[in-house]
Amino acid sequence: MRKSFLFTLILILVFPFSLYADEIKIGSCIYRFNDAFMLRFRNAMSAECEKIGAEIEIADSQNDQNTQNEQVDGFISNGVNVLIINPVNRMEAQPIIDQAKAANIPVVFINREPAPEMLASYERAYYVGAKAEESGTQSGELLAEYFKTHPEADKNHDGKLQFILLKGENGHQDMILRSKYSVEAIKNAGIEPVEIASAIANWDKLQAMNIMNGFVMSIGPENIEAVLANNDEMALGAVETLKNSDYNKGNSEMYIPVVGVDANASALDAMDKGEMLGTVLNDADNQGMAAVRLAVALASGKDINSIGYEITDGKYIWIPYQKVTRGEKN
Ligand code: GAL
Ligand code: CA
């Protein structure tokens, strides 16, 4: 009797989810598979499902909201117990919420935050992500710290920081808030930021490379004191272009500090080589794990406050960002 009780207790402690997760089917849509950060996110969700024995099907929405809505329809008619959705357009999340509500299944949004009133329209709608302003602040701080400790970075000796801003997809909370708060953080560090150019490169390395190429040609690399990119892929695009102009090849002479967000492996690699200054960890592992655990708890009627992640305002799980420089976490 006591023995079996102990055994059950150990099972509960060691496998808190395996006791009920195996019956749960999750339907998930990712805005597009061809996105370096979302690949990490997908892998994290699959790994957690494997661990707890839940079933997950992940669909590629190919950057098309209609495609995604049809995929959601399909999941619902196939009888999934819960949805994890990375909306193509976060402002068009309402129809998905309505679909989920009509089928009375919970929906967890990830990475692209629906408006609060949308989430409020269905008691079983949630969001798992990271606070965009936090990543903006941290990337701005990284750059400000560098500028303060490297007087040579002020190439035109005017005490101000002439920077280029590479922005993510229009309307994305991470594009809006990272752009705003990174610049704000530079100001708060007592440095006057001067935006010499900015453009939208849609999180994409190739687009950023081309845009940066135009800027380098028209402005001259010697007049650029920093590049702030809303994510690592765009930062790496900028680095690639700078390398073509013999900058950022790992020797400190010809160098423009470039900062990104995500801490993807390729960015950490570039940082190790001295080609890129820093990034901010966008914690895909924890976001993916939290999304799956929340989804499974909701679908099985378990207490969502016992999944190991704090629920804020009844609807949100926020995973913190972390500054990263040269392979080390600050
Ligand atoms: C951001 C991430 C970008 C991109 C985007 C997709 O959080 O930093 O690299 O993946 O999400 O929505
Ligand atoms: Ca300057």
Side-chain angles (χ1 to χ4, degrees):
M1 188 48 187
R2 176 170 295 170
K3 233 182 177 171
S4 75
F5 169 75
L6 259 181
F7 183 69
T8 311
L9 192 69
I10 287 169
L11 260 187
I12 291 172
L13 289 176
V14 179
F15 303 107
F17 300 101
S18 62
L19 295 178
Y20 55 83
D22 47 317
E23 296 295 305
I24 304 296
K25 267 196 247 158
I26 303 170
S28 178
C29 294
I30 299 298
Y31 92 99
R32 71 182 166 102
F33 273 10
N34 185 18
D35 175 301
F37 171 72
M38 291 315 299
L39 173 61
R40 283 168 56 204
F41 209 123
R42 275 193 277 149
N43 289 340
M45 290 199 298
S46 300
E48 181 63 11
C49 284
E50 186 124 319
K51 204 166 94 199
I52 66 179
E55 204 182 296
I56 190 165
E57 190 184 324
I58 309 181
D60 181 358
S61 301
Q62 295 171 27
N63 216 11
D64 186 303
Q65 191 59 60
N66 291 331
T67 301
Q68 182 165 80
N69 293 355
E70 282 163 20
Q71 289 164 340
V72 168
D73 259 344
F75 280 139
I76 290 175
S77 40
N78 287 337
V80 299
N81 306 102
V82 55
L83 296 164
I84 298 181
I85 304 296
N86 174 218
V88 174
N89 182 344
R90 68 192 186 98
M91 290 311 173
E92 286 174 30
Q94 192 63 54
I96 294 175
I97 295 176
D98 296 342
Q99 278 172 289
K101 191 175 181 176
N104 191 29
I105 60 171
V107 55
V108 176
F109 289 96
I110 53 169
N111 170 264
R112 298 171 159 227
E113 190 184 334
E117 45 300 357
M118 294 181 188
L119 291 180
S121 72
Y122 180 32
E123 71 279 7
R124 305 183 82 191
Y126 292 79
Y127 180 71
V128 174
K131 295 249 184 195
E133 57 267 40
E134 201 177 292
S135 51
T137 301
Q138 292 184 1
S139 64
E141 284 173 359
L142 277 176
L143 194 54
E145 280 157 32
Y146 178 83
F147 206 68
K148 283 186 170 171
T149 50
H150 293 79
E152 75 279 10
D154 183 13
K155 297 194 168 101
N156 64 355
H157 312 287
D158 68 349
K160 303 173 188 173
L161 204 171
Q162 277 75 18
F163 72 95
I164 283 176
L165 179 63
L166 295 175
K167 298 192 271 191
E169 213 177 314
N170 205 14
H172 195 303
Q173 81 277 347
D174 290 340
M175 174 271 201
I176 300 165
L177 297 171
R178 284 177 189 164
S179 298
K180 173 164 184 241
Y181 282 88
S182 54
V183 176
E184 203 77 1
I186 295 168
K187 272 189 218 152
N188 290 342
I191 300 164
E192 189 181 324
V194 181
E195 186 187 288
I196 46 177
S198 87
I200 290 177
N202 295 309
W203 311 121
D204 188 74
K205 183 174 174 181
L206 200 64
Q207 287 185 39
M209 244 183 103
N210 292 331
I211 287 166
M212 191 64 193
N213 197 41
F215 288 158
V216 165
M217 302 233 277
S218 57
I219 299 164
E222 69 283 1
N223 298 317
I224 303 170
E225 294 181 345
V227 177
L228 275 171
N230 285 169
N231 79 341
D232 282 349
E233 284 297 299
M234 297 189 295
L236 289 167
V239 164
E240 218 41 54
T241 293
L242 291 175
K243 280 163 73 180
N244 290 337
S245 311
D246 283 329
Y247 273 74
N248 292 44
K249 286 183 143 176
N251 62 338
S252 51
E253 297 279 286
M254 312 258 281
Y255 180 71
I256 296 170
V258 178
V259 177
V261 176
D262 280 338
N264 288 339
S266 46
L268 298 177
D269 201 44
M271 282 157 54
D272 286 339
K273 292 192 202 142
E275 300 170 352
M276 181 173 153
L277 175 67
T279 187
V280 174
L281 172 67
N282 195 359
D283 190 345
D285 287 349
N286 269 304
Q287 291 175 52
M289 193 183 277
V292 164
R293 287 190 182 183
L294 178 60
V296 168
L298 288 165
S300 54
K302 302 287 159 171
D303 181 8
I304 58 168
N305 294 301
S306 67
I307 62 170
Y309 293 94
E310 191 190 332
I311 312 283
T312 307
D313 301 328
K315 292 226 169 248
Y316 297 88
I317 295 178
W318 297 114
I319 304 297
Y321 282 104
Q322 244 181 304
K323 286 183 211 172
V324 186
T325 50
R326 296 235 170 217
E328 284 168 333
K329 286 173 189 174
N330 278 0

